[in-house]
Amino acid sequence: MMKGKALRLAIFAGLLGSTVSVLSAQAMTETESVTVLNPVVVTAQRFETKDLETPASVTVIDQADLKNSGAKSIFDAVGQATGITTFSYGPLGLEFGGMESRTNIRGLDRSSLVLVNGAPINLDGKNSLNGLMMDNVERIEIVRGAASAQYGSEALGGVVNVITKTPTKAHGTVETRIGNEGYKKYAATVGTEKIEISTSKEYYGAQARTSPNRTGRDYYNTRDKGYAHNIAVNVKPHDYVTINYMRQQSDSTYGQISTIPKAKWTAKKSALTETKQWHYRDIKNNGSIVYDDATTKASVFFNTRRLIGESNSLATPVYVQSPYNYGAYKVGTEAQHTWKLHNDTAKAVLGVQGVHEAYQGISETNKTVTAARNTVAIYGNYEFQITPSFSTTIGGRYQAINDPINNQNVFTPQWQTLYKIDESKSIYTNVGKAFTMPNIHDAFKWVTDLKDKNVANYIKIPGGNLKPEEGWNYEIGYKQANKRDSWKVSVYYMRFKNFFDWAENPLDGNRKTIRINGGEFRNTGIEAEYKSYVTSDLIMTVGASYSNPKKQDVNKKDWVQTAPKLELNLALDYEKDKWQAGLAASYWGIRAYNRDKQRNPDYINVNAHVNYSPNESQTIGFYVNNVLNRQNVISQGDWEYWDLPRNYYVNYSYHF
């Protein structure tokens, strides 16, 4: 066992070490790379700052990074960032109906807030990135650490802000991809100085069971063919106004296939087993209208989801309606103003936000589930210089929440400091409180009618006493950005209480369907990232994270690991003349335990690609994902879901 782990680590280290040793011997140039190594950040402080002047742990993924990652989706690209681990029920972040894939920052499951152009798109506690169109993204900003003082609920671990493109000039692109595993994509983008429209349709082939046989487990998940159709529209009617809209409609089918001979799909109907098949149609929309003149920013935004599913089995081969179908939406408005004070030695931000969020069951079984939440917030921060080299920021947010379970009034403070050692180096501290509200539909319990044991339904919790998850993040970090390389190191400690868990429901066969507050979550860790122009043609990024994420069980006695303790990332981007190539490798080690009380196997994923542009109008590319053909578990914890084996596609794009 130890030899196997050593071999896997050696493979990863070899990819890093051999590449660096060979390429570092080449001569470096004085390439100016300020925008790459010290990018502008808007998410962390709610106004533009350089990374070196931002007292928080930040990663910016720009268009070049997205291309070089070899990722097919935003979900995959974000999962390659240091300190981020993803939880997926299907390859590329594909979801299993209402079982959403999610992005975890610093070991916190379901505790990352996803924004699009600064507007929250989390729905009913879910932070899915699925449905966002990769072709429409300008850059992605990831802020690690408690961020509720700036953005409210659900930002315990941090924030992922997806910033879409803005129309700039007349242009057009058509693109096609064809690969194995039934993968195809067709996409087109056309734009002017005022409007840009992008659309794509992706097809996914059927995926057979890739997991090995497990002791005591007689069924495994499979996936049938599916597709996702995306459209994105960006409009710029005025220098200060942008209008953005994205929509995705996906169609997917999942199954469970048994390893018991008599329970195959071809078995007779009398062979009653747990073999099932689910079909889902998932429709997501999000949009915003934003006014931004650099000092005043105002927006109205919305996002919606409608999930319609059905299932069958050998016992009931005809599809029947899923009891979990639902529709959800969020609408809101926000306005903030930034003041520059005392000869630009101080800045102040003051803002207000109002949000309405609703959930509605749309199947016969859950149609009584109707819940809504209203939130009004006022927030602000004040940054001032104590000395020319030392500054501090004090911020906070007050939220009044009208909730179907329990109304809340929550104040979350934040205190940050930044010391500039010189023009290329800084040290920061970041202390903040954060919280997460229960999911809206947690106001309901699934129970069996006491008079008729065969009838089950949802009932509303009368006077529920669920409390928000809440706690503190403490962090200290060092940043350095030179002309050709940059360093980032952060050490943090997190402690939160009232973590949501499930308790057994005696009215529902002791299934865990009652939402309760469990124990604490704690994590102590260190993150490091190095980015370098190794040569004038090669950019290298290396990241590493070691932490100890754990939470108490329901009985508040034992501590359970929640995410991998060790994470390593490597990215290489090479461009010269008409050629461009990239490699991205990720490793997750010392992972959480699965349902067999064994650690999930080490995750090692390597993506590689090469592009050739014979002229300015055309690009031909070849992409390979999971180069090592690993059986990678892409979920965390008890239940295992598996990535695709080695897969590849050929890409052709024409620009005009």
Side-chain angles (χ1 to χ4, degrees):
M1 185 70 176
M2 292 303 294
K3 289 182 178 179
K5 286 190 174 183
L7 178 60
R8 290 189 289 270
L9 280 170
I11 292 172
F12 191 93
L15 284 169
L16 173 61
S18 61
T19 305
V20 173
S21 62
V22 172
L23 295 172
S24 294
Q26 301 181 33
M28 293 186 182
T29 67
E30 293 295 321
T31 304
E32 291 293 333
S33 52
V34 174
T35 56
V36 175
L37 301 176
N38 187 23
V40 172
V41 180
V42 298
T43 307
Q45 303 294 91
R46 283 190 170 268
F47 51 76
E48 287 189 356
T49 59
K50 290 288 189 178
D51 190 7
L52 274 176
E53 300 168 358
T54 303
S57 176
V58 178
T59 292
V60 177
I61 304 172
D62 59 21
Q63 288 182 5
D65 295 325
L66 288 172
K67 179 180 68 174
N68 301 334
S69 69
K72 293 181 182 177
S73 66
I74 295 175
F75 178 86
D76 274 359
V78 169
Q80 295 174 12
T82 303
I84 311 294
T85 55
T86 53
F87 186 121
S88 184
Y89 294 99
L92 316 175
L94 295 177
E95 298 170 344
F96 198 160
M99 298 163 60
E100 290 85 355
S101 300
R102 47 196 185 263
T103 301
N104 304 336
I105 301 179
R106 293 179 172 175
L108 278 164
D109 190 21
R110 298 182 187 273
S111 296
S112 305
L113 178 63
V114 175
L115 312 173
V116 174
N117 299 316
I121 68 165
N122 289 31
L123 271 178
D124 197 34
K126 314 294 176 58
N127 67 12
S128 172
L129 287 164
N130 202 10
L132 302 182
M133 192 172 181
M134 194 166 177
D135 300 335
N136 187 44
V137 174
E138 179 69 30
R139 70 183 190 275
I140 302 169
E141 295 184 2
I142 301 171
V143 181
R144 303 173 190 82
S148 286
Q150 300 293 334
Y151 294 101
S153 179
E154 301 180 285
L156 268 75
V159 172
V160 178
N161 189 11
V162 179
I163 299 170
T164 60
K165 293 179 181 178
T166 300
T168 56
K169 61 181 180 180
H171 69 285
T173 300
V174 292
E175 180 183 14
T176 183
R177 297 177 179 179
I178 299 177
N180 68 336
E181 299 290 338
Y183 179 73
K184 293 182 293 185
K185 177 181 178 180
Y186 306 100
T189 297
V190 293
T192 69
E193 294 179 352
K194 296 294 184 181
I195 185 171
E196 180 171 291
I197 302 174
S198 300
T199 184
S200 70
K201 194 162 187 177
E202 288 185 278
Y203 296 88
Y204 309 100
Q207 180 187 349
R209 176 172 72 96
T210 58
S211 56
N213 289 340
R214 303 304 298 257
T215 303
R217 313 298 171 188
D218 61 2
Y219 64 86
Y220 302 85
N221 294 301
T222 63
R223 191 189 74 202
D224 208 340
K225 297 178 181 179
Y227 72 86
H229 186 195
N230 294 273
I231 186 169
V233 181
N234 302 316
V235 183
K236 192 173 181 62
H238 186 274
D239 287 345
Y240 299 150
V241 179
T242 56
I243 303 170
N244 307 285
Y245 170 72
M246 282 194 282
R247 173 185 173 88
Q248 182 189 75
Q249 177 174 309
S250 63
D251 195 285
S252 56
T253 302
Y254 298 85
Q256 285 181 339
I257 185 168
S258 177
T259 56
I260 300 175
K262 291 184 179 181
K264 298 291 185 182
W265 287 104
T266 56
K268 294 181 179 180
K269 192 183 302 184
S270 59
L272 301 180
T273 73
E274 295 187 43
T275 305
K276 293 183 178 181
Q277 194 170 36
W278 292 265
H279 171 254
Y280 293 98
R281 175 158 293 184
D282 197 358
I283 302 171
K284 297 179 180 179
N285 298 273
N286 75 78
S288 63
I289 303 174
V290 180
Y291 172 88
D292 189 353
D293 64 7
T295 57
T296 299
K297 183 174 182 178
S299 64
V300 293
F301 55 86
F302 77 94
N303 59 293
T304 69
R305 184 181 188 187
R306 186 173 179 85
L307 180 68
I308 303 170
E310 55 187 1
S311 65
N312 68 7
S313 67
L314 293 176
T316 55
V318 177
Y319 273 105
V320 296
Q321 187 183 60
S322 168
Y324 307 111
N325 293 344
Y326 74 90
Y329 70 88
K330 177 183 290 182
V331 294
T333 184
E334 184 171 5
Q336 71 171 59
H337 186 78
T338 303
W339 291 268
K340 294 183 179 180
L341 307 170
H342 307 300
N343 297 321
D344 288 349
T345 62
K347 288 183 181 179
V349 175
L350 183 64
V352 294
Q353 183 188 67
V355 177
H356 173 74
E357 185 177 359
Y359 179 101
Q360 171 68 63
I362 56 176
S363 66
E364 282 299 315
T365 307
N366 70 352
K367 63 184 179 181
T368 59
V369 180
T370 303
R373 175 182 293 153
N374 295 307
T375 302
V376 177
I378 181 170
Y379 60 86
N381 61 64
Y382 180 58
E383 177 194 81
F384 60 96
Q385 289 184 341
I386 299 175
T387 71
S389 300
F390 183 64
S391 62
T392 189
T393 303
I394 301 172
R397 184 184 184 102
Y398 176 80
Q399 294 197 184
I401 305 168
N402 179 259
D403 188 73
I405 298 178
N406 193 11
N407 293 342
Q408 301 287 337
N409 295 289
V410 183
F411 176 69
T412 49
Q414 187 173 36
W415 177 44
Q416 300 164 300
T417 66
L418 181 80
Y419 177 71
K420 292 191 69 174
I421 301 172
D422 55 36
E423 290 303 312
S424 64
K425 306 179 189 70
S426 62
I427 298 174
Y428 71 88
T429 63
N430 184 8
V431 178
K433 187 179 181 182
F435 77 105
T436 293
M437 292 293 293
N439 297 346
I440 296 179
H441 81 274
D442 285 342
F444 293 79
K445 297 177 181 177
W446 174 263
V447 300
T448 300
D449 192 298
L450 293 176
K451 296 180 181 179
D452 185 348
K453 299 295 184 180
N454 294 319
V455 177
N457 208 338
Y458 285 93
I459 63 170
K460 191 168 184 179
I461 301 172
N465 60 356
L466 274 176
K467 301 176 182 178
E469 299 175 338
E470 60 179 4
W472 290 82
N473 176 86
Y474 308 88
E475 180 178 341
I476 184 171
Y478 170 80
K479 299 180 181 182
Q480 177 177 334
N482 305 308
K483 289 184 177 180
R484 295 187 302 276
D485 61 10
S486 66
W487 277 99
K488 296 179 185 179
V489 180
S490 58
V491 179
Y492 61 88
Y493 173 69
M494 310 165 72
R495 184 171 182 174
F496 299 96
K497 63 180 181 179
N498 303 327
F499 249 63
F500 301 135
D501 218 322
W502 295 101
E504 293 181 352
N505 187 348
L507 300 179
D508 190 26
N510 289 326
R511 294 173 60 208
K512 291 185 177 181
T513 57
I514 300 177
R515 187 61 116 176
I516 63 169
N517 288 118
E520 291 187 355
F521 171 89
R522 296 178 186 174
N523 193 10
T524 302
I526 181 171
E527 298 164 345
E529 187 175 270
Y530 176 69
K531 192 166 189 174
S532 172
Y533 277 81
V534 181
T535 73
S536 60
D537 307 316
L538 177 71
I539 302 176
M540 177 184 69
T541 304
V542 181
S545 172
Y546 185 82
S547 62
N548 186 26
K550 57 184 180 179
K551 75 171 186 176
Q552 289 176 311
D553 62 13
V554 175
N555 297 320
K556 302 181 181 180
K557 294 181 180 179
D558 299 322
W559 289 86
V560 180
Q561 183 182 334
T562 62
K565 293 185 177 182
L566 177 63
E567 177 192 348
L568 302 172
N569 296 302
L570 166 67
L572 298 171
D573 170 34
Y574 177 81
E575 293 190 51
K576 188 174 180 63
D577 300 328
K578 298 180 179 182
W579 294 91
Q580 186 274 329
L583 180 145
S586 297
Y587 170 84
W588 301 340
I590 320 177
R591 301 186 67 184
Y593 289 91
N594 59 28
R595 51 185 167 159
D596 294 334
K597 308 305 179 185
Q598 299 175 354
R599 287 193 185 277
N600 279 312
D602 292 346
Y603 172 94
I604 300 176
N605 187 56
V606 180
N607 298 337
H609 72 273
V610 59
N611 286 320
Y612 174 70
S613 301
N615 52 52
E616 293 182 355
S617 299
Q618 300 181 80
T619 301
I620 304 168
F622 180 65
Y623 289 71
V624 182
N625 300 93
N626 194 4
V627 173
L628 303 180
N629 201 29
R630 297 265 307 170
Q631 284 189 319
N632 279 323
V633 175
I634 52 179
S635 54
Q636 311 284 357
D638 289 347
W639 297 93
E640 297 168 331
Y641 293 83
W642 300 77
D643 201 359
L644 286 173
R646 183 187 297 117
N647 59 98
Y648 56 85
Y649 64 89
V650 177
N651 182 88
Y652 173 78
S653 59
Y654 182 80
H655 314 278
F656 57 91

